[in-house]
Amino acid sequence: MHSTMAAIVTSLVRLFQPSLASMGDSQGPVLWYALLSLRLVALFTADNPWSSLKPDFTCNHSMSAFCTTLCFNNHFDVPLSPLWSFSFLAGVVPVLLMRLVQRGSRKAASQKKDIELMDPVREASPKSSTPGPPQSTSVVILHIACILFLLCIEVVFLWALAVLQLPKVFPHTFPCWADLCPENVECAIFGRTDKQMALATLAFTAGINIVVCVTSAIMEVVQLSRCRKK
């Protein structure tokens, strides 16, 4: 798992490096890239206690490897680390979309400015002074859509942590519900509190992302209302 996470991080750093180098004084992308970096740190922190989940699994009855495997699979029946990686990769999508939207709006604004500088007579004509459809409005709407997309991803991820994953390590012991295995078998895992803290760390980053998304969406809606009043 450590080698897989290292490969993912190396690939993402290479992917984001050109964008980070070309952001300049833009504050919007800096915020979203910082949140992605925060999630990466949380993933590394959570991966340490959870990478040894199978060796940490033990039961109070001598059983064959087959029964132990059945007990393990029946209890941990939801994905753990793969879900974390998938949530991160899914969160990259709206961030990249926001970056593309911003670059497109800057390019369009630069082209419009060049046309106005090359044709000052047309700029002063009555026809050209008639305002067309505000391009900034469409850009703001796309930004809001991307933010809401990211918000949905973070809400679902937080729900999965709290409802699907945390109950798997919350009890001190849990029964083994496996056929063809001894009855009244109780199982437990080593490092239970460490694994709980790892999930809490991921939930904390998801909560921060949710707060940032809601705040940013409200600010974008306010900006959209101002653009429509102009």
Side-chain angles (χ1 to χ4, degrees):
M1 181 65 184
H2 289 286
S3 59
T4 303
M5 289 298 299
I8 293 175
V9 172
T10 303
S11 301
L12 289 174
V13 168
R14 292 178 179 177
L15 176 64
F16 291 153
Q17 187 174 5
S19 299
L20 290 172
S22 62
M23 280 193 298
D25 58 347
S26 177
Q27 298 299 322
V30 174
L31 173 63
W32 303 113
Y33 281 105
L35 293 178
L36 289 178
S37 301
L38 182 65
R39 175 58 59 81
L40 273 180
V41 175
L43 287 175
F44 272 110
T45 304
D47 179 61
N48 189 25
W50 279 95
S51 60
S52 60
L53 178 61
K54 292 181 180 179
D56 291 343
F57 185 82
T58 183
C59 298
N60 65 345
H61 196 286
S62 297
M63 297 186 299
S64 63
F66 174 76
C67 285
T68 303
T69 301
L70 287 179
C71 294
F72 180 88
N73 291 338
N74 288 339
H75 184 72
F76 295 102
D77 55 349
V78 295
L80 295 169
S81 298
L83 179 61
W84 305 344
S85 302
F86 176 76
S87 67
F88 176 80
L89 295 177
V92 171
V93 175
V95 174
L96 291 180
L97 290 177
M98 282 187 278
R99 177 60 179 163
L100 293 176
V101 169
Q102 186 183 42
R103 290 191 63 180
S105 62
R106 285 187 175 183
K107 184 177 180 180
S110 177
Q111 292 177 350
K112 182 178 180 181
K113 185 177 180 180
D114 293 340
I115 293 175
E116 291 176 352
L117 292 176
M118 294 175 61
D119 196 0
V121 177
R122 182 180 179 182
E123 179 184 0
S125 63
K127 292 183 180 180
S128 62
S129 60
T130 303
Q135 185 179 359
S136 58
T137 301
S138 61
V139 172
V140 174
I141 292 176
L142 290 175
H143 267 282
I144 294 175
C146 294
I147 293 173
L148 294 179
F149 181 25
L150 182 60
L151 177 61
C152 293
I153 293 173
E154 295 298 334
V155 170
V156 173
F157 179 60
L158 183 60
W159 173 84
L161 291 174
V163 177
L164 299 180
Q165 295 186 346
L166 184 59
K168 300 299 179 181
V169 293
F170 189 78
H172 292 276
T173 62
F174 41 86
C176 173
W177 305 103
D179 298 333
L180 305 178
C181 294
E183 297 180 356
N184 300 323
V185 175
E186 291 288 327
C187 300
I189 53 174
F190 292 100
R192 168 176 164 270
T193 55
D194 292 339
K195 292 175 174 59
Q196 290 177 348
M197 189 61 192
L199 293 178
T201 302
L202 292 173
F204 175 73
T205 59
I208 291 178
N209 291 345
I210 290 174
V211 172
V212 172
C213 288
V214 172
T215 305
S216 300
I218 294 174
M219 295 176 62
E220 293 287 350
V221 170
V222 173
Q223 182 179 354
L224 180 60
S225 62
R226 291 177 178 176
C227 292
R228 289 183 175 180
K229 290 180 181 179
K230 293 181 179 180

PDB file of all heavy atoms in Angstrom, residues 198-225:
ATOM      1  N   ALA A 198      -7.104   7.434  12.706  1.00  0.00           N
ATOM      2  CA  ALA A 198      -6.855   7.609  11.272  1.00  0.00           C
ATOM      3  C   ALA A 198      -8.140   7.990  10.550  1.00  0.00           C
ATOM      4  O   ALA A 198      -8.149   8.886   9.698  1.00  0.00           O
ATOM      5  CB  ALA A 198      -6.269   6.329  10.688  1.00  0.00           C
ATOM      6  N   LEU A 199      -9.248   7.315  10.902  1.00  0.00           N
ATOM      7  CA  LEU A 199     -10.528   7.671  10.293  1.00  0.00           C
ATOM      8  C   LEU A 199     -10.962   9.070  10.706  1.00  0.00           C
ATOM      9  O   LEU A 199     -11.536   9.812   9.895  1.00  0.00           O
ATOM     10  CB  LEU A 199     -11.589   6.648  10.697  1.00  0.00           C
ATOM     11  CG  LEU A 199     -11.413   5.222  10.168  1.00  0.00           C
ATOM     12  CD1 LEU A 199     -12.517   4.314  10.701  1.00  0.00           C
ATOM     13  CD2 LEU A 199     -11.402   5.204   8.654  1.00  0.00           C
ATOM     14  N   ALA A 200     -10.704   9.441  11.955  1.00  0.00           N
ATOM     15  CA  ALA A 200     -11.055  10.787  12.410  1.00  0.00           C
ATOM     16  C   ALA A 200     -10.257  11.846  11.651  1.00  0.00           C
ATOM     17  O   ALA A 200     -10.776  12.931  11.356  1.00  0.00           O
ATOM     18  CB  ALA A 200     -10.810  10.913  13.911  1.00  0.00           C
ATOM     19  N   THR A 201      -8.998  11.539  11.333  1.00  0.00           N
ATOM     20  CA  THR A 201      -8.179  12.485  10.568  1.00  0.00           C
ATOM     21  C   THR A 201      -8.752  12.701   9.178  1.00  0.00           C
ATOM     22  O   THR A 201      -8.854  13.833   8.694  1.00  0.00           O
ATOM     23  CB  THR A 201      -6.739  11.961  10.472  1.00  0.00           C
ATOM     24  OG1 THR A 201      -6.206  11.774  11.786  1.00  0.00           O
ATOM     25  CG2 THR A 201      -5.856  12.939   9.704  1.00  0.00           C
ATOM     26  N   LEU A 202      -9.143  11.617   8.522  1.00  0.00           N
ATOM     27  CA  LEU A 202      -9.759  11.747   7.200  1.00  0.00           C
ATOM     28  C   LEU A 202     -11.091  12.485   7.283  1.00  0.00           C
ATOM     29  O   LEU A 202     -11.407  13.304   6.408  1.00  0.00           O
ATOM     30  CB  LEU A 202      -9.964  10.361   6.592  1.00  0.00           C
ATOM     31  CG  LEU A 202      -8.698   9.589   6.205  1.00  0.00           C
ATOM     32  CD1 LEU A 202      -9.047   8.175   5.773  1.00  0.00           C
ATOM     33  CD2 LEU A 202      -7.941  10.307   5.095  1.00  0.00           C
ATOM     34  N   ALA A 203     -11.871  12.202   8.333  1.00  0.00           N
ATOM     35  CA  ALA A 203     -13.140  12.904   8.502  1.00  0.00           C
ATOM     36  C   ALA A 203     -12.916  14.393   8.752  1.00  0.00           C
ATOM     37  O   ALA A 203     -13.702  15.230   8.286  1.00  0.00           O
ATOM     38  CB  ALA A 203     -13.932  12.282   9.649  1.00  0.00           C
ATOM     39  N   PHE A 204     -11.846  14.724   9.458  1.00  0.00           N
ATOM     40  CA  PHE A 204     -11.532  16.128   9.717  1.00  0.00           C
ATOM     41  C   PHE A 204     -11.216  16.865   8.423  1.00  0.00           C
ATOM     42  O   PHE A 204     -11.695  17.985   8.194  1.00  0.00           O
ATOM     43  CB  PHE A 204     -10.351  16.216  10.682  1.00  0.00           C
ATOM     44  CG  PHE A 204      -9.865  17.618  10.937  1.00  0.00           C
ATOM     45  CD1 PHE A 204     -10.603  18.488  11.719  1.00  0.00           C
ATOM     46  CD2 PHE A 204      -8.666  18.052  10.391  1.00  0.00           C
ATOM     47  CE1 PHE A 204     -10.153  19.784  11.951  1.00  0.00           C
ATOM     48  CE2 PHE A 204      -8.212  19.341  10.611  1.00  0.00           C
ATOM     49  CZ  PHE A 204      -8.959  20.212  11.402  1.00  0.00           C
ATOM     50  N   THR A 205     -10.420  16.252   7.557  1.00  0.00           N
ATOM     51  CA  THR A 205     -10.105  16.895   6.276  1.00  0.00           C
ATOM     52  C   THR A 205     -11.356  17.027   5.413  1.00  0.00           C
ATOM     53  O   THR A 205     -11.538  18.035   4.727  1.00  0.00           O
ATOM     54  CB  THR A 205      -9.038  16.102   5.526  1.00  0.00           C
ATOM     55  OG1 THR A 205      -9.505  14.765   5.291  1.00  0.00           O
ATOM     56  CG2 THR A 205      -7.751  16.023   6.337  1.00  0.00           C
ATOM     57  N   ALA A 206     -12.226  16.005   5.451  1.00  0.00           N
ATOM     58  CA  ALA A 206     -13.474  16.101   4.690  1.00  0.00           C
ATOM     59  C   ALA A 206     -14.347  17.224   5.224  1.00  0.00           C
ATOM     60  O   ALA A 206     -14.983  17.947   4.447  1.00  0.00           O
ATOM     61  CB  ALA A 206     -14.222  14.770   4.740  1.00  0.00           C
ATOM     62  N   GLY A 207     -14.386  17.383   6.552  1.00  0.00           N
ATOM     63  CA  GLY A 207     -15.161  18.477   7.133  1.00  0.00           C
ATOM     64  C   GLY A 207     -14.628  19.840   6.722  1.00  0.00           C
ATOM     65  O   GLY A 207     -15.402  20.760   6.429  1.00  0.00           O
ATOM     66  N   ILE A 208     -13.299  19.984   6.698  1.00  0.00           N
ATOM     67  CA  ILE A 208     -12.704  21.250   6.256  1.00  0.00           C
ATOM     68  C   ILE A 208     -13.079  21.534   4.804  1.00  0.00           C
ATOM     69  O   ILE A 208     -13.458  22.662   4.445  1.00  0.00           O
ATOM     70  CB  ILE A 208     -11.169  21.205   6.420  1.00  0.00           C
ATOM     71  CG1 ILE A 208     -10.795  21.197   7.909  1.00  0.00           C
ATOM     72  CG2 ILE A 208     -10.511  22.394   5.725  1.00  0.00           C
ATOM     73  CD1 ILE A 208      -9.309  21.112   8.153  1.00  0.00           C
ATOM     74  N   ASN A 209     -12.992  20.517   3.960  1.00  0.00           N
ATOM     75  CA  ASN A 209     -13.342  20.703   2.554  1.00  0.00           C
ATOM     76  C   ASN A 209     -14.810  21.083   2.384  1.00  0.00           C
ATOM     77  O   ASN A 209     -15.163  21.893   1.520  1.00  0.00           O
ATOM     78  CB  ASN A 209     -13.031  19.430   1.771  1.00  0.00           C
ATOM     79  CG  ASN A 209     -11.544  19.177   1.648  1.00  0.00           C
ATOM     80  OD1 ASN A 209     -10.732  20.062   1.898  1.00  0.00           O
ATOM     81  ND2 ASN A 209     -11.187  17.966   1.288  1.00  0.00           N
ATOM     82  N   ILE A 210     -15.689  20.488   3.202  1.00  0.00           N
ATOM     83  CA  ILE A 210     -17.111  20.818   3.118  1.00  0.00           C
ATOM     84  C   ILE A 210     -17.347  22.269   3.504  1.00  0.00           C
ATOM     85  O   ILE A 210     -18.095  22.995   2.834  1.00  0.00           O
ATOM     86  CB  ILE A 210     -17.921  19.870   4.014  1.00  0.00           C
ATOM     87  CG1 ILE A 210     -17.917  18.457   3.414  1.00  0.00           C
ATOM     88  CG2 ILE A 210     -19.352  20.367   4.187  1.00  0.00           C
ATOM     89  CD1 ILE A 210     -18.559  17.416   4.307  1.00  0.00           C
ATOM     90  N   VAL A 211     -16.711  22.715   4.581  1.00  0.00           N
ATOM     91  CA  VAL A 211     -16.865  24.114   5.014  1.00  0.00           C
ATOM     92  C   VAL A 211     -16.355  25.069   3.943  1.00  0.00           C
ATOM     93  O   VAL A 211     -16.996  26.082   3.621  1.00  0.00           O
ATOM     94  CB  VAL A 211     -16.135  24.346   6.353  1.00  0.00           C
ATOM     95  CG1 VAL A 211     -16.124  25.824   6.716  1.00  0.00           C
ATOM     96  CG2 VAL A 211     -16.805  23.541   7.461  1.00  0.00           C
ATOM     97  N   VAL A 212     -15.199  24.750   3.360  1.00  0.00           N
ATOM     98  CA  VAL A 212     -14.624  25.610   2.313  1.00  0.00           C
ATOM     99  C   VAL A 212     -15.526  25.629   1.089  1.00  0.00           C
ATOM    100  O   VAL A 212     -15.748  26.683   0.478  1.00  0.00           O
ATOM    101  CB  VAL A 212     -13.209  25.137   1.958  1.00  0.00           C
ATOM    102  CG1 VAL A 212     -12.675  25.899   0.747  1.00  0.00           C
ATOM    103  CG2 VAL A 212     -12.267  25.331   3.135  1.00  0.00           C
ATOM    104  N   CYS A 213     -16.065  24.472   0.719  1.00  0.00           N
ATOM    105  CA  CYS A 213     -16.949  24.412  -0.453  1.00  0.00           C
ATOM    106  C   CYS A 213     -18.216  25.232  -0.231  1.00  0.00           C
ATOM    107  O   CYS A 213     -18.650  25.971  -1.128  1.00  0.00           O
ATOM    108  CB  CYS A 213     -17.308  22.961  -0.762  1.00  0.00           C
ATOM    109  SG  CYS A 213     -15.963  21.978  -1.466  1.00  0.00           S
ATOM    110  N   VAL A 214     -18.822  25.106   0.940  1.00  0.00           N
ATOM    111  CA  VAL A 214     -20.040  25.866   1.221  1.00  0.00           C
ATOM    112  C   VAL A 214     -19.747  27.363   1.221  1.00  0.00           C
ATOM    113  O   VAL A 214     -20.485  28.166   0.630  1.00  0.00           O
ATOM    114  CB  VAL A 214     -20.644  25.423   2.567  1.00  0.00           C
ATOM    115  CG1 VAL A 214     -21.792  26.334   2.972  1.00  0.00           C
ATOM    116  CG2 VAL A 214     -21.121  23.976   2.488  1.00  0.00           C
ATOM    117  N   THR A 215     -18.651  27.763   1.869  1.00  0.00           N
ATOM    118  CA  THR A 215     -18.287  29.184   1.903  1.00  0.00           C
ATOM    119  C   THR A 215     -18.003  29.721   0.510  1.00  0.00           C
ATOM    120  O   THR A 215     -18.456  30.810   0.138  1.00  0.00           O
ATOM    121  CB  THR A 215     -17.064  29.392   2.810  1.00  0.00           C
ATOM    122  OG1 THR A 215     -17.338  28.852   4.114  1.00  0.00           O
ATOM    123  CG2 THR A 215     -16.728  30.862   2.933  1.00  0.00           C
ATOM    124  N   SER A 216     -17.243  28.946  -0.280  1.00  0.00           N
ATOM    125  CA  SER A 216     -16.916  29.387  -1.639  1.00  0.00           C
ATOM    126  C   SER A 216     -18.164  29.460  -2.513  1.00  0.00           C
ATOM    127  O   SER A 216     -18.301  30.382  -3.328  1.00  0.00           O
ATOM    128  CB  SER A 216     -15.894  28.428  -2.259  1.00  0.00           C
ATOM    129  OG  SER A 216     -14.701  28.401  -1.498  1.00  0.00           O
ATOM    130  N   ALA A 217     -19.070  28.497  -2.355  1.00  0.00           N
ATOM    131  CA  ALA A 217     -20.294  28.525  -3.150  1.00  0.00           C
ATOM    132  C   ALA A 217     -21.133  29.763  -2.822  1.00  0.00           C
ATOM    133  O   ALA A 217     -21.693  30.403  -3.720  1.00  0.00           O
ATOM    134  CB  ALA A 217     -21.104  27.253  -2.902  1.00  0.00           C
ATOM    135  N   ILE A 218     -21.218  30.113  -1.539  1.00  0.00           N
ATOM    136  CA  ILE A 218     -21.967  31.313  -1.149  1.00  0.00           C
ATOM    137  C   ILE A 218     -21.330  32.561  -1.751  1.00  0.00           C
ATOM    138  O   ILE A 218     -22.019  33.447  -2.280  1.00  0.00           O
ATOM    139  CB  ILE A 218     -22.047  31.415   0.382  1.00  0.00           C
ATOM    140  CG1 ILE A 218     -22.893  30.266   0.950  1.00  0.00           C
ATOM    141  CG2 ILE A 218     -22.640  32.759   0.805  1.00  0.00           C
ATOM    142  CD1 ILE A 218     -22.911  30.210   2.460  1.00  0.00           C
ATOM    143  N   MET A 219     -20.004  32.654  -1.704  1.00  0.00           N
ATOM    144  CA  MET A 219     -19.313  33.803  -2.273  1.00  0.00           C
ATOM    145  C   MET A 219     -19.511  33.884  -3.783  1.00  0.00           C
ATOM    146  O   MET A 219     -19.674  34.969  -4.338  1.00  0.00           O
ATOM    147  CB  MET A 219     -17.822  33.728  -1.923  1.00  0.00           C
ATOM    148  CG  MET A 219     -17.524  33.846  -0.435  1.00  0.00           C
ATOM    149  SD  MET A 219     -15.767  33.629  -0.050  1.00  0.00           S
ATOM    150  CE  MET A 219     -15.069  35.017  -0.938  1.00  0.00           C
ATOM    151  N   GLU A 220     -19.506  32.715  -4.443  1.00  0.00           N
ATOM    152  CA  GLU A 220     -19.714  32.715  -5.887  1.00  0.00           C
ATOM    153  C   GLU A 220     -21.130  33.138  -6.241  1.00  0.00           C
ATOM    154  O   GLU A 220     -21.357  33.842  -7.236  1.00  0.00           O
ATOM    155  CB  GLU A 220     -19.424  31.316  -6.449  1.00  0.00           C
ATOM    156  CG  GLU A 220     -17.967  30.884  -6.362  1.00  0.00           C
ATOM    157  CD  GLU A 220     -17.090  31.598  -7.358  1.00  0.00           C
ATOM    158  OE1 GLU A 220     -17.622  32.294  -8.238  1.00  0.00           O
ATOM    159  OE2 GLU A 220     -15.856  31.459  -7.267  1.00  0.00           O
ATOM    160  N   VAL A 221     -22.115  32.716  -5.430  1.00  0.00           N
ATOM    161  CA  VAL A 221     -23.502  33.127  -5.671  1.00  0.00           C
ATOM    162  C   VAL A 221     -23.653  34.631  -5.498  1.00  0.00           C
ATOM    163  O   VAL A 221     -24.350  35.301  -6.286  1.00  0.00           O
ATOM    164  CB  VAL A 221     -24.452  32.366  -4.728  1.00  0.00           C
ATOM    165  CG1 VAL A 221     -25.856  32.949  -4.786  1.00  0.00           C
ATOM    166  CG2 VAL A 221     -24.477  30.883  -5.091  1.00  0.00           C
ATOM    167  N   VAL A 222     -22.999  35.195  -4.488  1.00  0.00           N
ATOM    168  CA  VAL A 222     -23.033  36.653  -4.297  1.00  0.00           C
ATOM    169  C   VAL A 222     -22.412  37.361  -5.485  1.00  0.00           C
ATOM    170  O   VAL A 222     -22.938  38.363  -5.993  1.00  0.00           O
ATOM    171  CB  VAL A 222     -22.309  37.025  -2.989  1.00  0.00           C
ATOM    172  CG1 VAL A 222     -22.181  38.540  -2.875  1.00  0.00           C
ATOM    173  CG2 VAL A 222     -23.062  36.461  -1.779  1.00  0.00           C
ATOM    174  N   GLN A 223     -21.288  36.827  -5.978  1.00  0.00           N
ATOM    175  CA  GLN A 223     -20.645  37.433  -7.147  1.00  0.00           C
ATOM    176  C   GLN A 223     -21.534  37.318  -8.385  1.00  0.00           C
ATOM    177  O   GLN A 223     -21.597  38.234  -9.208  1.00  0.00           O
ATOM    178  CB  GLN A 223     -19.304  36.750  -7.411  1.00  0.00           C
ATOM    179  CG  GLN A 223     -18.527  37.346  -8.585  1.00  0.00           C
ATOM    180  CD  GLN A 223     -17.194  36.646  -8.784  1.00  0.00           C
ATOM    181  OE1 GLN A 223     -16.796  35.799  -7.989  1.00  0.00           O
ATOM    182  NE2 GLN A 223     -16.509  37.008  -9.850  1.00  0.00           N
ATOM    183  N   LEU A 224     -22.230  36.181  -8.506  1.00  0.00           N
ATOM    184  CA  LEU A 224     -23.132  36.005  -9.648  1.00  0.00           C
ATOM    185  C   LEU A 224     -24.270  37.010  -9.606  1.00  0.00           C
ATOM    186  O   LEU A 224     -24.659  37.576 -10.646  1.00  0.00           O
ATOM    187  CB  LEU A 224     -23.687  34.585  -9.644  1.00  0.00           C
ATOM    188  CG  LEU A 224     -24.654  34.203 -10.759  1.00  0.00           C
ATOM    189  CD1 LEU A 224     -23.992  34.352 -12.119  1.00  0.00           C
ATOM    190  CD2 LEU A 224     -25.186  32.801 -10.561  1.00  0.00           C
ATOM    191  N   SER A 225     -24.827  37.264  -8.432  1.00  0.00           N
ATOM    192  CA  SER A 225     -25.896  38.251  -8.316  1.00  0.00           C
ATOM    193  C   SER A 225     -25.407  39.652  -8.660  1.00  0.00           C
ATOM    194  O   SER A 225     -26.130  40.453  -9.279  1.00  0.00           O
ATOM    195  CB  SER A 225     -26.471  38.223  -6.899  1.00  0.00           C
ATOM    196  OG  SER A 225     -25.484  38.557  -5.947  1.00  0.00           O
TER     197      SER A 225
END
